[in-house]
Amino acid sequence: MELLVVVAILGILAGMLLPALGKAKDRAIRVTDINNLKQLSMALHLYASDSADLLPWANWKRGDHPERAGWLYRWNPQVAGPAQFRVETGVFWPILQQSKLYMCPRDGPQVPRFAERAQQSSSYVMNGAVVGYNRTNWPALKLGAFRPEDIVFWETDERYPEYFNDGASYPREGVSARHTQGAIHATFGGAVSYIPLARWYLMEAQERRNPLWCYPFSEDGR
């Protein structure tokens, strides 16, 4: 009888501790993501400061070219598969020099459909507003053209491997929900924060310029 009581108590304690441990692990992973995005933001600002305020090529697929190194990679059509998108060839690599800074700890080969991605080097994407989306502006726009609160990096929605075809995205291509109904993003001003998914998709649906749709030379930011 006493053994059953002990087992019951242990079961109750486990039921109380497991959710707390899960939340603690999620917070730790969130901290890593925040640090990664801070590093990407730092690299963005260092690149712009050395390039007359010009931002790097966003690796928008439509304009990718072997002679055009982007923030994430320099596209190499001479090879097949994910090797076309090596972070060591991107303009941020001399600053960051660590491939783990490009990946969320919860992302990788263990994630369903990861192998279907063309680009497997980064969990994060740059806002295609940097090159005017399908306008593919080259050179890219200047950092000073964007408001500090405009969003430059976020985590791609891992449920759709087709969104990992390059290093940039439209806001309508979504954001990862791996962080407990919220998403982590970085702004052009260098701030990194957590945003509830409901707020993210409210901005995504708006028909006016906002921090997500932020191309500066159109009324609706698109």
Side-chain angles (χ1 to χ4, degrees):
M1 184 68 176
E2 292 179 357
L3 180 60
L4 291 176
V5 172
V6 171
V7 170
I9 292 172
L10 290 174
I12 293 169
L13 290 173
M16 295 171 62
L17 287 173
L18 287 176
L21 290 172
K23 289 180 181 179
K25 183 178 179 180
D26 184 69
R27 283 195 296 270
I29 291 172
R30 195 183 302 179
V31 167
T32 299
D33 263 317
I34 288 172
N35 177 67
N36 289 352
L37 286 174
K38 283 185 178 294
Q39 295 298 314
L40 292 181
S41 295
M42 177 196 69
L44 183 82
H45 280 258
L46 287 173
Y47 179 91
S49 68
D50 289 339
S51 306
D53 203 43
L54 287 171
L55 292 166
W57 171 246
N59 286 126
W60 190 264
K61 184 178 181 181
R62 180 171 172 174
D64 266 345
H65 191 278
E67 297 180 4
R68 187 177 292 178
W71 78 272
L72 183 59
Y73 60 82
R74 183 191 295 269
W75 180 55
N76 181 4
Q78 303 302 316
V79 296
Q84 296 181 69
F85 312 103
R86 294 177 59 246
V87 294
E88 294 85 355
T89 63
V91 299
F92 282 7
W93 183 256
I95 302 169
L96 301 178
Q97 296 190 354
Q98 293 185 68
S99 58
K100 68 179 182 180
L101 295 177
Y102 297 82
M103 296 293 292
C104 170
R106 279 193 170 146
D107 197 14
Q110 77 280 4
V111 174
R113 306 192 70 185
F114 182 87
E116 297 176 42
R117 302 179 191 176
Q119 182 270 104
Q120 298 178 6
S121 302
S122 178
S123 306
Y124 315 110
V125 285
M126 180 177 281
N127 194 334
V130 167
V131 295
Y133 303 112
N134 271 341
R135 297 175 185 85
T136 59
N137 295 330
W138 176 255
L141 302 187
K142 291 192 173 185
L143 178 60
F146 293 90
R147 302 170 299 193
E149 68 269 23
D150 289 339
I151 295 172
V152 59
F153 292 113
W154 64 82
E155 291 182 74
T156 314
D157 191 337
E158 69 277 9
R159 296 173 300 172
Y160 301 97
E162 62 269 24
Y163 294 161
F164 292 82
N165 63 327
D166 54 17
S169 281
Y170 285 108
R172 65 168 174 259
E173 290 178 310
V175 67
S176 174
R178 62 170 62 98
H179 295 292
T180 316
Q181 298 306 305
I184 299 169
H185 67 280
T187 67
F188 285 93
V192 179
S193 59
Y194 179 84
I195 181 173
L197 291 179
R199 184 181 167 197
W200 178 279
Y201 285 110
L202 181 63
M203 282 196 296
E204 187 274 323
Q206 287 176 348
E207 296 182 358
R208 57 180 173 80
R209 186 183 175 192
N210 60 53
L212 265 179
W213 293 104
C214 57
Y215 178 64
F217 303 118
S218 68
E219 291 186 5
D220 61 3
R222 289 161 170 75

